[in-house]
């Protein structure tokens, strides 16, 4: 008789969209899950549907606001204890409120930075410490194409995602010596609540399920960065070399 290796993962931002789809994808690959987000009912629904599809998996839910930084260490330790260890963490929490062309609202910007960047640092710092000691582990951060350049549409979101890219690269450089793998995910457009109400301007839109398959596959293959889908890598290469005087005219 062979004993199955335990597989345990935390998904932060699991109540909808990409995070919820990643939870399903990981359960299909045999992972027990700790799911984190604020909306308790939605989180319970996601957990229920994962359990229905994969009856042998343990799926626990942990209501939490990632802006409550002081709660993170205790909650991380509790989840690791409940799951009897940890092998993966996926940080998918994010917000992208609409910013009007003439709007300069620090309160809104603060929320964007707190959820997309600071929360990621708080959760992934805990995972980094745990995985470095365990000499193994996989860290996945969901960033965005928006982090490639400072677009005029949403300065704080672009800044937070650019910051997340750099933070994840630093983590990778710190942790590779311990055998810990860090993946930066750069999606284009994914059909989730985040895209709702956006009139026009989107193309190559994929489902959260397809995004999740691509993300989990790239992390399992120990890729450093994945564009979701791959063709966004070409767009990024072009976007990076567009001169500012042209880029500032682009309506994105
Ligand atoms: N959709 C796209 O086209 C696209 C493109 C590029 C990158 N992304 C990135 O993909 C990630 C997932 O977004 P999505 O498209 O799947 O949108 P979504 O369906 O709105 O999911 C966002 C997730 O973040 C969680 N979240 C937001 N604020 C939170 C807070 N304060 N505390 C804890 N959790 C919080 C939400 O849970 P609660 O509200 O329940 O807390 C939800 O689970 C984000 O980082 C986003 O920037 C999306």
């Amino acid at each position: 008789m062979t004993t199955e290796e335990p597989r345990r993962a935390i998904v932060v931002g699991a109540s909808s969209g990409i995070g919820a789809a990643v939870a399903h994808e990981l359960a299909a690959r045999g992972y027990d899950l700790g799911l984190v987000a604020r909306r308790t009912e939605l989180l319970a629904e996601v957990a229920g549907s994962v359990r229905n599809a994969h009856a042998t998996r343990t799926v626990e839910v942990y209501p939490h606001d990632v802006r409550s930084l002081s709660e993170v260490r205790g909650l991380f330790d509790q989840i690791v204890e409940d799951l009897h260890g940890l092998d993966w963490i996926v940080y998918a929490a994010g917000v992208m409120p609409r910013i009007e062309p003439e709007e300069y609202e620090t309160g809104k910007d603060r929320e964007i930075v707190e959820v997309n960047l600071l929360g990621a640092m708080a959760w992934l710092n805990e995972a980094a410490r745990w995985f470095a000691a365990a000499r193994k582990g996989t860290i996945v951060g969901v960033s965005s194409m928006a982090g490639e350049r400072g677009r005029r549409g949403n300065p704080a979101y672009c800044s937070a995602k650019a910051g997340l890219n750099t933070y994840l690269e630093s983590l990778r450089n710190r942790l590779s010596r311990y055998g810990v793998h860090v993946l930066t995910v750069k999606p284009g457009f994914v059909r989730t609540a985040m895209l709702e109400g956006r009139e026009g301007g989107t193309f190559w839109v994929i489902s959260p399920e397809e995004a999740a398959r691509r993300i989990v596959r790239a992390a399992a293959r120990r890729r450093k960065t994945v564009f979701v889908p791959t063709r966004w890598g070409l767009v990024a290469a072009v976007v990076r070399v567009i001169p500012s005087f042209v880029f500032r005219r682009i309506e994105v």
Side-chain angles (χ1 to χ4, degrees):
M1 196 177 82
T2 56
T3 335
E4 200 186 317
E5 278 260 307
R7 294 176 172 201
R8 298 132 313 184
I10 294 175
V11 183
V12 184
S15 58
S16 62
I18 297 172
V22 164
H24 274 277
E25 189 63 28
L26 286 173
R29 288 182 177 232
Y31 282 79
D32 291 332
L33 299 171
L35 306 183
V36 179
R38 289 169 304 177
R39 290 170 296 174
T40 314
E41 277 181 24
L42 272 186
L43 210 49
E45 269 177 38
V46 173
S49 80
V50 172
R51 285 190 207 104
N52 279 344
H54 311 282
T56 55
R57 301 275 55 98
T58 298
V59 188
E60 305 288 353
V61 300
Y62 303 89
H64 164 74
D65 187 327
V66 296
R67 292 170 297 176
S68 305
L69 297 180
S70 60
E71 287 177 10
V72 174
R73 179 165 295 178
L75 187 53
F76 177 88
D77 289 346
Q78 187 194 325
I79 301 175
V80 171
E81 191 179 324
D82 293 349
L83 296 179
H84 308 291
L86 190 70
D87 304 284
W88 279 45
I89 185 165
V90 179
Y91 191 91
V95 288
M96 190 184 68
R98 184 177 164 76
I99 307 288
E100 300 304 327
E102 305 302 329
E103 188 178 7
Y104 299 93
E105 186 49 64
T106 309
K108 238 177 183 179
D109 289 353
R110 179 181 177 151
E111 187 196 354
I112 294 169
V113 173
E114 283 182 343
V115 177
N116 290 287
L117 179 58
L118 261 186
M121 289 176 170
W123 276 91
L124 302 184
N125 280 342
E126 296 306 322
R129 190 182 292 112
W130 169 272
F131 288 150
R135 295 288 193 271
K136 65 184 173 94
T138 295
I139 292 175
V140 179
V142 181
S143 181
S144 171
M145 278 291 294
E148 299 297 300
R149 286 291 291 268
R151 297 173 302 142
R152 66 187 206 190
N154 197 328
Y157 185 73
C158 294
S159 308
K161 292 303 192 185
L164 180 59
N165 292 344
T166 305
Y167 168 77
L168 290 168
E169 183 184 10
S170 293
L171 265 196
R172 182 180 307 115
N173 292 338
R174 279 191 154 201
L175 294 172
S176 61
R177 78 193 72 171
Y178 304 116
V180 179
H181 173 61
V182 179
L183 172 68
T184 306
V185 180
K186 298 180 178 179
F189 295 115
V190 184
R191 200 174 303 105
T192 69
M194 198 170 270
L195 279 197
E196 272 167 24
R198 270 191 71 145
E199 52 307 310
T202 59
F203 53 98
W204 296 344
V205 183
I206 61 169
S207 69
E209 290 73 25
E210 182 179 349
R213 274 193 298 278
R214 288 174 179 271
I215 291 166
V216 171
R217 192 173 58 207
R221 291 179 180 168
R222 299 179 79 81
R223 300 265 309 279
K224 294 188 190 75
T225 300
V226 64
F227 290 91
V228 179
T230 320
R231 55 185 174 267
W232 283 101
L234 285 172
V235 177
V238 172
V239 156
R240 278 187 221 119
V241 297
I242 297 177
S244 280
F245 71 89
V246 177
F247 195 70
R248 71 177 62 125
R249 289 182 173 80
I250 297 174
E251 196 66 63
V252 282

